Amino acid sequence: EELRMDLANGPSRARKLRNDVQEADVSGKEYVERLRRQHQKLHATAVSWAQLPTPGEEEDIAGRIVRGAKDVLAKPKFLPQGSIEATRMRDANMEEPNKAVVQSLEFHPSGSVLMTAGLDRKLRFFQVDGVRNKKLESLHFEDLPVHKAAFSEEGTEVVLTGRRKFFYIYDVASARVDYVAGIQGRDEKSLENFAISRGGGEPAVAFLGNKGYLPLISLKTK
């Protein structure tokens, strides 16, 4: 007997797979195909490093989805109005946890890549899908325990600072690291606190300086 998946009476994530409100159920094969299309739609901006599964792996994944979804859809759960359901997923940095305190984490503007940095002097990138959360890349900064790291507005660069008078700028596309010795005319011995401009215009970084000053640099000129 063909497996049928109940979309009308299942959780909200199942109802979202319907093509129209009158649709009650679909075959197991069609359910898997709709899940795949929904996943591709939600992760359309994923970076090119992410590797797709082979045909054999896809069949195995599809089988696991159908087997797992059968129990979920058979026992619908309704939340009270005004409630939000949160599902615990695999830790984002499970493939390579930080070895010291994490000081900064931020999603790339595309929404699919998570950046972390901390006192272990490492910058890491993870492709977040909630299942594997594959580590994409990591860089070690020997002379900089990182106190703060942030993407530029377009996500093309990462600024990294610490309790040092210098800082680094990492170019995401070219994988180039630029060392910035300090800010001309300023004597700050720590540049750990900063903010990056958003909303267009000149790409700039403002640092929390001494005696109430806010040194400002352009990411175009560095």
Side-chain angles (χ1 to χ4, degrees):
E1 182 179 352
E2 183 184 31
L3 175 66
R4 304 292 298 180
M5 310 306 294
D6 187 352
L7 300 183
N9 299 312
S12 60
R13 58 179 174 272
R15 295 196 295 272
K16 290 177 182 179
L17 298 176
R18 294 184 294 178
N19 290 330
D20 60 72
V21 295
Q22 302 300 324
E23 191 172 32
D25 59 21
V26 295
S27 68
K29 182 177 181 181
E30 176 61 18
Y31 178 74
V32 171
E33 182 59 31
R34 292 189 188 185
L35 279 177
R36 183 179 290 112
R37 289 198 299 267
Q38 179 77 350
H39 177 80
Q40 291 172 344
K41 178 181 177 181
L42 293 174
H43 295 82
T45 56
V47 294
S48 59
W49 314 319
Q51 296 184 3
L52 297 174
T54 64
E57 290 174 332
E58 286 184 346
E59 293 176 3
D60 184 53
I61 292 171
R64 292 200 301 271
I65 290 174
V66 171
R67 291 192 295 272
K70 184 177 180 181
D71 292 335
V72 172
L73 296 180
K75 301 176 182 178
K77 177 182 178 182
F78 299 97
L79 294 172
Q81 185 176 0
S83 297
I84 297 176
E85 181 180 19
T87 303
R88 170 69 187 273
M89 298 189 292
R90 189 182 186 196
D91 289 354
N93 63 344
M94 182 66 75
E95 280 207 353
E96 189 178 300
N98 288 60
K99 296 180 180 179
V101 177
V102 178
Q103 294 289 97
S104 286
L105 72 161
E106 183 180 337
F107 276 99
H108 187 270
S110 71
S112 60
V113 174
L114 178 69
M115 174 268 293
T116 72
L119 301 184
D120 62 357
R121 307 167 192 254
K122 277 198 171 185
L123 173 69
R124 297 174 174 87
F125 297 94
F126 299 90
Q127 179 75 56
V128 176
D129 59 9
V131 179
R132 184 181 174 187
N133 301 332
K134 178 182 177 183
K135 188 194 80 171
L136 301 173
E137 187 177 15
S138 65
L139 296 92
H140 183 71
F141 295 83
E142 181 63 35
D143 54 357
L144 185 70
V146 181
H147 280 256
K148 185 170 182 178
F151 281 110
S152 61
E153 181 179 12
E154 296 182 352
T156 56
E157 297 174 307
V158 176
V159 177
L160 303 100
T161 65
R163 291 177 179 172
R164 304 286 190 273
K165 63 181 180 180
F166 60 85
F167 59 97
Y168 288 97
I169 299 176
Y170 175 65
D171 188 294
V172 175
S174 66
R176 186 184 74 245
V177 176
D178 289 327
Y179 170 85
V180 183
I183 301 174
Q184 186 174 5
R186 301 298 306 170
D187 61 357
E188 280 79 13
K189 298 187 182 305
S190 174
L191 298 172
E192 62 187 286
N193 293 311
F194 68 89
I196 296 181
S197 63
R198 309 290 181 189
E202 182 79 8
V205 183
F207 293 91
L208 189 59
N210 297 333
K211 301 177 181 179
Y213 285 91
L214 301 174
L216 188 69
I217 69 164
S218 168
L219 284 176
K220 285 185 176 180
T221 60
K222 299 185 182 63

